[in-house]
């Protein structure tokens, strides 16, 4: 479907015909910024709508960026030029230019309305006002270059352009458009693509007991072990699900789960205190409240749903008096509460992941302009590159920073 709108932008400098492949976050910001500087812009999107994936970010609330952004939030220092050239503060101000006001929860930045639809609607309005041509349901099949001109072939048409921008994302959430097929086109043009894995996705377990506690949340410090070696520790809200675990710290651990082999499990406390502090308190309560039933004793410490779950694991009756639990059994219970173990079977994969590990090798792209070193006039931005950030708004920040810096260097 074509969208053509008239516009009255005063063109400055050498106007070029730009084809942007991909109507996700990086593609749309690249389109807006390229149009603002006076280029003729066409966005080719394979799905029936643009910005579909953005609607799902931050559980539909759209975690736009973070107040604390540095290269340490990503897998490579390659991001430094872009995130310093177009910072989180620049992004927040930029959003105001399209009437998107923001609010913060901790360091996480969201639209004031806490609705991703607000962001999408305002960006669509900006595209219309600028007169950006958007063609949906148009998957790109092939890109060729001859005599400094590009020919881009879709399922129905072919387009000639001075510059081509790949903003195609990775393999994450293929139902929303990022299915990884564009990497084959980039390879055909001489680019190398690293191994691809899902990241920021839920972790699965074969435990049959998790269904009874699905929906329970605990603020904790989950630790990932592989072959009994501590690999990574995170902090935040852990969510029990019928299939395993979710929540921001779990999403951050999923990267290592996907790329490393071995016997994997996660340990974390079921109470919102440090292990050192709470252990002494639990022992004091054990002696002071020995006349309590186990159920009554546990209900003041952990979520009500976890009581039956823990008792089942320890083969203890909920109605047993605390005085009938010897110190050895109590010590085992404390260990179960403070260092609870969940064995891992895998992750929810690309279908449920927010970002892709891997992409076009960074050595083949200029970190300031995002122009390919293999094909002049071709640009690669966002998740199509071998860049991934942790959970917390960092991946949208990267998508936008790379898009804006690329557009300003066309």
């Amino acid at each position: 479907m074509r969208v053509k709108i008239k516009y009255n932008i005063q063109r400055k400098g050498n106007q070029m015909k730009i084809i942007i492949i991909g109507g996700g976050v990086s593609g749309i910001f690249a389109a807006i910024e390229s149009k603002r500087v006076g280029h003729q812009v066409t966005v080719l999107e394979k799905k029936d709508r643009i910005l579909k994936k953005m609607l799902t970010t931050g559980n539909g609330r759209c975690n736009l960026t973070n107040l604390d952004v540095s290269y340490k939030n990503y897998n490579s220092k390659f991001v430094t030029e872009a995130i310093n050239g177009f910072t989180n503060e620049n992004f927040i101000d930029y959003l105001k230019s399209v009437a998107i006001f923001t609010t913060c929860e901790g360091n996480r930045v969201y639209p004031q309305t806490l609705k991703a639809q607000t962001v999408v609607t305002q960006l669509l309005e900006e595209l219309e006002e600028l007169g950006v041509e958007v063609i949906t349901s148009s998957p790109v099949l092939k890109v060729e270059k001859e005599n400094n001109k590009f020919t881009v072939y879709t399922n129905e048409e072919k387009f000639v352009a001075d510059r081509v921008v790949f903003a195609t994302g990775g393999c994450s959430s293929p139902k929303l458009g990022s299915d990884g097929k564009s990497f084959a086109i980039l390879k055909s043009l001489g680019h190398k693509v690293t191994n691809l894995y899902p990241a920021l996705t839920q972790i699965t377990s074969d435990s049959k007991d998790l269904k009874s506690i699905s929906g329970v949340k605990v603020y904790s410090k989950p630790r990932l072990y592989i072959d009994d070696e501590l690999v990574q520790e995170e902090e935040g809200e852990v969510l029990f699900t019928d299939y395993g675990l979710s929540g921001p710290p779990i999403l951050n651990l999923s990267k290592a789960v996907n790329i490393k082999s071995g016997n994997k499990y996660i340990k974390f406390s079921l109470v919102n205190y440090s292990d050192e502090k709470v252990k002494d308190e639990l022992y004091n309560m054990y002696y002071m409240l020995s006349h309590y039933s186990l159920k009554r004793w546990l209900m003041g410490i952990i979520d009500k749903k976890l009581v039956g779950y823990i008792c089942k694991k320890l083969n203890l009756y909920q109605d047993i008096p605390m005085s009938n639990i010897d110190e050895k059994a109590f010590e085992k219970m404390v260990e179960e509460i403070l260092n609870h173990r969940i064995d891992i079977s895998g992750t929810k994969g690309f279908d449920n992941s927010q970002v892709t590990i891997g992409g076009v090798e960074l050595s083949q792209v200029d970190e300031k302009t995002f122009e390919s070193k293999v094909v002049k006039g071709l640009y690669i931005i966002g998740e199509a590159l071998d860049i991934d950030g942790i959970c917390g708004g960092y991946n949208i920040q990267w998508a936008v920073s790379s898009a804006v810096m690329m557009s300003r260097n066309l």
Side-chain angles (χ1 to χ4, degrees):
M1 179 182 71
R2 285 180 179 269
V3 178
K4 286 187 176 180
I5 314 280
K6 292 183 180 180
Y7 60 95
N8 353 323
I9 296 174
Q10 185 176 0
R11 300 184 183 91
K12 297 179 181 179
N14 182 29
Q15 184 197 30
M16 294 184 291
K17 171 64 178 175
I18 312 294
I19 295 288
I20 297 175
I21 305 173
V25 176
S26 58
I28 293 311
F29 274 90
I32 290 171
E33 189 63 14
S34 297
K35 191 70 174 183
R36 282 181 174 182
V37 298
H39 297 302
Q40 185 182 351
V41 181
T42 298
V43 177
L44 300 177
E45 167 57 41
K46 69 191 301 180
K47 305 300 283 186
D48 60 347
R49 286 181 296 156
I50 60 174
L51 295 171
K52 292 185 78 169
K53 189 174 177 181
M54 193 174 209
L55 287 172
T56 68
T57 60
N59 290 321
R61 302 194 307 160
C62 199
N63 184 188
L64 291 160
T65 185
N66 199 289
L67 296 180
D68 181 20
V69 176
S70 80
Y71 73 87
K72 295 178 181 178
N73 306 125
Y74 302 89
N75 63 313
S76 172
K77 289 185 177 181
F78 181 91
V79 302
T80 304
E81 288 285 344
I83 63 174
N84 287 349
F86 190 79
T87 66
N88 50 359
E89 292 180 355
N90 296 147
F91 184 24
I92 292 168
D93 288 339
Y94 195 97
L95 289 168
K96 291 176 185 176
S97 76
V98 290
I100 299 171
F101 288 81
T102 56
T103 187
C104 299
E105 290 185 7
N107 282 338
R108 299 186 181 209
V109 179
Y110 296 89
Q112 183 71 43
T113 61
L114 296 178
K115 292 182 179 179
Q117 184 63 62
T118 298
V119 181
V120 172
T121 298
Q122 295 296 72
L123 292 177
L124 290 175
E125 292 284 345
E126 184 69 9
L127 289 170
E128 183 175 341
E129 183 176 318
L130 290 171
V132 173
E133 182 180 39
V134 177
I135 306 176
T136 57
S137 302
S138 296
V140 172
L141 307 178
K142 184 170 63 172
V143 176
E144 294 178 338
K145 184 183 181 185
E146 186 176 358
N147 298 326
N148 294 321
K149 292 285 185 180
F150 291 90
T151 303
V152 179
Y153 298 85
T154 71
N155 56 333
E156 293 182 346
E157 300 180 69
K158 69 177 182 179
F159 303 84
V160 177
D162 301 297
R163 301 286 187 269
V164 170
V165 180
F166 273 81
T168 47
C171 303
S172 299
S173 302
K175 291 179 181 178
L176 302 178
S178 302
D179 57 12
K181 291 181 179 178
S182 61
F183 288 125
I185 301 174
L186 286 164
K187 285 180 180 179
S188 73
L189 292 166
H191 297 91
K192 295 179 181 177
V193 177
T194 67
N195 292 332
L196 304 169
Y197 304 93
L200 299 189
T201 185
Q202 302 90 342
I203 288 175
T204 59
S205 173
D206 290 332
S207 172
K208 305 299 183 185
D209 298 323
L210 294 176
K211 191 172 183 179
S212 66
I213 56 171
S214 180
V216 172
K217 297 177 182 178
V218 294
Y219 191 93
S220 196
K221 294 182 179 180
R223 308 178 301 280
L224 173 65
Y225 292 84
I226 300 180
D227 292 333
D228 296 326
E229 180 182 347
L230 178 61
V231 173
Q232 186 177 340
E233 181 178 18
E234 295 288 334
E235 181 175 357
E237 196 172 67
V238 178
L239 170 67
F240 285 97
T241 67
D242 55 357
Y243 56 78
L245 299 171
S246 187
I250 298 301
L251 300 186
N252 285 334
L253 292 176
S254 68
K255 177 177 179 177
V257 172
N258 282 319
I259 65 177
K260 296 178 182 290
S261 59
N263 179 48
K264 303 163 189 173
Y265 57 90
I266 289 175
K267 281 189 170 185
F268 57 98
S269 173
L270 299 179
V271 294
N272 301 338
Y273 301 97
S274 67
D275 291 0
E276 298 78 14
K277 178 182 178 182
V278 77
K279 194 168 186 177
D280 289 341
E281 291 182 354
L282 291 179
Y283 270 93
N284 287 337
M285 289 173 64
Y286 169 59
Y287 295 115
M288 276 180 17
L289 305 174
S290 59
H291 58 291
Y292 275 29
S293 68
L294 176 57
K295 179 180 179 179
R296 184 182 178 190
W297 192 89
L298 284 172
M299 282 182 61
I301 299 166
I302 58 178
D303 188 282
K304 182 179 180 180
K305 281 189 176 181
L306 291 173
V307 173
Y309 171 77
I310 290 295
C311 289
K312 182 178 178 181
K313 279 192 168 293
L314 297 171
N315 291 317
L316 291 172
Y317 291 107
Q318 296 186 35
D319 294 330
I320 187 175
M322 291 299 295
S323 57
N324 287 4
I325 299 175
D326 61 32
E327 288 197 16
K328 188 174 181 180
F330 181 76
E331 185 178 340
K332 185 178 178 182
M333 183 172 67
V334 169
E335 178 67 16
E336 190 69 47
I337 293 171
L338 299 185
N339 288 292
H340 189 65
R341 171 171 168 160
I342 299 290
D343 291 319
I344 296 170
S345 59
T347 71
K348 295 289 276 185
F350 280 120
D351 284 347
N352 293 276
S353 69
Q354 296 179 22
V355 70
T356 300
I357 304 165
V360 173
E361 284 192 1
L362 301 178
S363 61
Q364 296 190 315
V365 176
D366 187 287
E367 64 189 41
K368 295 181 180 179
T369 66
F370 295 93
E371 185 174 18
S372 166
K373 296 177 183 179
V374 179
V375 181
K376 295 299 179 184
L378 185 148
Y379 296 77
I380 308 170
I381 59 176
E383 200 181 338
L385 292 168
D386 181 16
I387 292 293
D388 60 273
I390 60 175
C391 185
Y394 301 102
N395 289 293
I396 288 185
Q397 177 68 53
W398 163 247
V400 175
S401 290
S402 60
V404 171
M405 296 306 292
M406 180 279 301
S407 300
R408 293 177 180 177
N409 283 284
L410 280 171

